[in-house]
Amino acid sequence: MTINSASGGMEDIAMSDGSMNSAPITAGVTVQVYVPTNETATARSFYSTLFGREPEFEPHDDFFEWSPISGQECWVQVGGKADAAPMHNRMRFRVHDLRAALDFLDSSGIEHSEPSQLPEVVAFVDFSDPWGNRLGYYQDLVPSEQQVEYRGTSVNDDAQFIEYEGSHQK
């Protein structure tokens, strides 16, 4: 794939099959999480604890925004919605010390899975907010460019994953 971004906000991308594709140049990402409208104050408190600070932006009484990656245009928005349903996908946050993240979850009373790891790649733990939105923390075990690739296997094969070496008893 070859990228040419001289086209003023669009990227001309040569795909592996030789075809061309133009896509907008992206400069950030936002993920929205919804909770029941009558529980936004509780959600504000939960996510303020999770991120260790108050929201950076509160455009409405029932809508809060945190930027979890300092200096990046990346936002987690939490808003009230009458027919709120939990996210179907999981949103994991990268941490530098999964052991410390586990201690934080335990001290905050947030139930979580047993942490596991894909050897020489990543360790992670999963948890949910009180409304069933699927969250988690992960720690890269080695730099991305040094991570082992498990070609010919499936992410759905539990045998690929082992107990996290830094695990602890809850």
Side-chain angles (χ1 to χ4, degrees):
M1 175 171 33
T2 305
I3 300 175
N4 173 9
S5 60
S7 57
M10 299 296 282
E11 294 181 5
D12 294 322
I13 302 172
M15 306 303 286
S16 60
D17 65 1
S19 64
M20 294 299 289
N21 185 0
S22 292
I25 296 172
T26 58
V29 64
T30 298
V31 175
Q32 294 180 336
V33 175
Y34 290 104
V35 300
T37 306
N38 64 342
E39 296 190 35
T40 55
T42 305
R44 185 185 187 284
S45 177
F46 176 87
Y47 281 92
S48 291
T49 298
L50 186 68
F51 293 123
R53 63 187 179 282
E54 299 296 314
E56 278 93 348
F57 185 54
E58 296 184 59
H60 309 285
D61 291 346
D62 61 355
F63 197 87
F64 319 105
E65 296 188 36
W66 288 265
S67 180
I69 305 171
S70 180
Q72 299 296 312
E73 190 63 27
C74 174
W75 295 92
V76 173
Q77 300 173 326
V78 178
K81 194 172 186 180
D83 60 348
M87 291 187 298
H88 292 285
N89 294 318
R90 183 170 308 280
M91 178 173 43
R92 285 194 182 117
F93 301 98
R94 182 176 180 227
V95 296
H96 295 287
D97 184 349
L98 189 62
R99 170 81 235 143
L102 290 165
D103 290 342
F104 166 76
L105 292 172
D106 289 342
S107 68
S108 299
I110 298 172
E111 290 185 28
H112 57 82
S113 68
E114 283 298 320
S116 61
Q117 69 181 31
L118 182 58
E120 300 183 62
V121 179
V122 67
F124 57 91
V125 63
D126 295 330
F127 58 95
S128 295
D129 73 8
W131 305 275
N133 291 299
R134 299 168 51 168
L135 307 170
Y137 289 128
Y138 75 94
Q139 176 186 339
D140 287 330
L141 299 176
V142 297
S144 295
E145 64 277 1
Q146 297 173 14
Q147 293 179 350
V148 173
E149 292 184 2
Y150 291 86
R151 299 289 180 175
T153 64
S154 170
V155 70
N156 297 303
D157 180 0
D158 289 337
Q160 299 293 313
F161 300 89
I162 63 172
E163 182 177 332
Y164 172 55
E165 292 172 358
S167 191
H168 70 295
Q169 298 295 321
K170 288 194 269 185

